[in-house]
Amino acid sequence: MSPLITPAELAGLTGVSVLDVRWKLAVLPTGPAGIDSYREGHIPGAVFCDLETDLAAHPGQGGEGGRHPLPSAGAFQEAMRRLGVSGSRTVVVYDGADSTAAAARAWWLLRYFGHPDVRVLDGGLRAWVSEGLPVSAEEGRPEPGDFEARPGGMPVLDAARAGGLASDGVLLDARAAERYRGEVEPIDPVAGHIPGAVSAPTGENVDPSGRFHLPDFLRERFNTLGVVPGVEVGAYCGSGVTAAHEVLALEVAGIPAALYVGSWSDWVTDPSRPVATG
């Protein structure tokens, strides 16, 4: 089953949990916060899910674990139950446009913690609205869910394995190419990339409308980056959010991949770890 769902498919479903995961990126300081966008209008029945508090733990001392560390099973379970998520009910997640970051992070975490049926709205709210489907300003108030968080449903990388995978497998860097090259770094204290990693910006996973490219297109794209049968694949970004989109795109293409949750913001906390530029 595809991890994606179309607006028409979602409109025809009943008894599903819908999470609005819109998020104001740190590199885009202008524009409304996610909760403000939600209050202006959202898919009817959707509940707002806050990436910073529901989909990440607080950063550790010295930045260990990165800017968006993996939440504990207990904390994630509590958050999802508060949002009405149950293990027996389909969950659909969406963000503003193209599922680039926050929605994919929610999809990945729910899968990692064992939810069997999570879908991402292809094209996000923009696609929903473009098809003439309704929006609502009424805040969702779901009944508490019964989701049980059991970690281990998706593969993860730590710093050591990420560095090794860049040599003996394929480690995809999901950030913009200029950040990979070390020409700019708007957030983290060190610019560059993990040596051996391959630049694979997530923007190239979607078409101009913000919808994911077809599976064959994505398979060909990743094949040109060295992702071939029998090769272990992983992805990282700045803090493990955008890289979830890369893992999602790989999933659409039928390719399993691991996520380095701490990503670059964790990698650079240890000055002994090498950094490449160019």
Side-chain angles (χ1 to χ4, degrees):
M1 183 174 63
S2 171
L4 304 178
I5 189 171
T6 68
E9 289 171 334
L10 175 56
L13 293 180
T14 58
V16 301
S17 295
V18 182
L19 303 183
D20 183 312
V21 203
R22 280 178 284 179
W23 176 53
K24 185 167 71 172
L25 289 165
V27 293
L28 298 173
T30 60
I35 185 61
D36 294 332
S37 296
Y38 170 81
R39 287 168 176 159
E40 290 173 2
H42 51 265
I43 293 174
V47 181
F48 180 70
C49 177
D50 191 306
L51 186 147
E52 300 289 347
T53 59
D54 297 330
L55 304 179
H58 293 296
Q61 289 188 339
E64 184 179 354
R67 285 181 278 109
H68 293 105
L70 187 70
S72 69
F76 186 72
Q77 176 175 292
E78 180 180 359
M80 293 302 102
R81 288 186 175 189
R82 174 174 46 80
L83 299 177
V85 173
S86 293
S88 60
R89 188 164 55 238
T90 299
V91 181
V92 176
V93 296
Y94 73 90
D95 55 23
D98 53 11
S99 312
T100 54
R105 170 77 172 206
W107 166 83
W108 187 89
L109 276 171
L110 281 160
R111 289 283 308 278
Y112 173 79
F113 282 111
H115 199 289
D117 188 8
V118 189
R119 315 288 288 280
V120 176
L121 180 62
D122 196 12
L125 185 63
R126 183 170 67 182
W128 176 270
V129 171
S130 72
E131 295 192 15
L133 294 165
V135 296
S136 171
E138 183 177 350
E139 189 168 344
R141 300 185 184 279
E143 293 292 325
D146 61 7
F147 175 65
E148 295 185 10
R150 298 185 177 92
M154 296 287 278
V156 295
L157 302 171
D158 60 13
R161 183 63 196 128
L165 191 59
S167 300
D168 57 36
V170 177
L171 182 65
L172 301 174
D173 186 315
R175 299 172 300 166
E178 58 270 23
R179 288 184 72 188
Y180 168 86
R181 294 191 296 264
E183 296 167 0
V184 297
E185 182 43 66
I187 307 174
D188 295 307
V190 180
H193 60 267
I194 297 173
V198 179
S199 180
T202 56
E204 297 177 19
N205 293 329
V206 296
D207 65 22
S209 74
R211 301 190 189 217
F212 277 90
H213 287 296
L214 295 174
D216 286 346
F217 181 100
L218 291 170
R219 276 192 291 271
E220 179 62 25
R221 183 204 175 200
F222 291 121
N223 180 260
T224 63
L225 298 174
V227 178
V228 295
V231 173
E232 187 179 351
V233 184
Y236 77 99
C237 58
S239 66
V241 176
T242 306
H245 175 280
E246 198 85 275
V247 174
L248 174 59
L250 287 155
E251 179 97 353
V252 172
I255 302 166
L259 176 67
Y260 178 15
V261 180
S263 283
W264 185 247
S265 59
D266 173 66
W267 182 267
V268 297
T269 59
D270 185 345
S272 70
R273 294 180 186 138
V275 170
T277 56

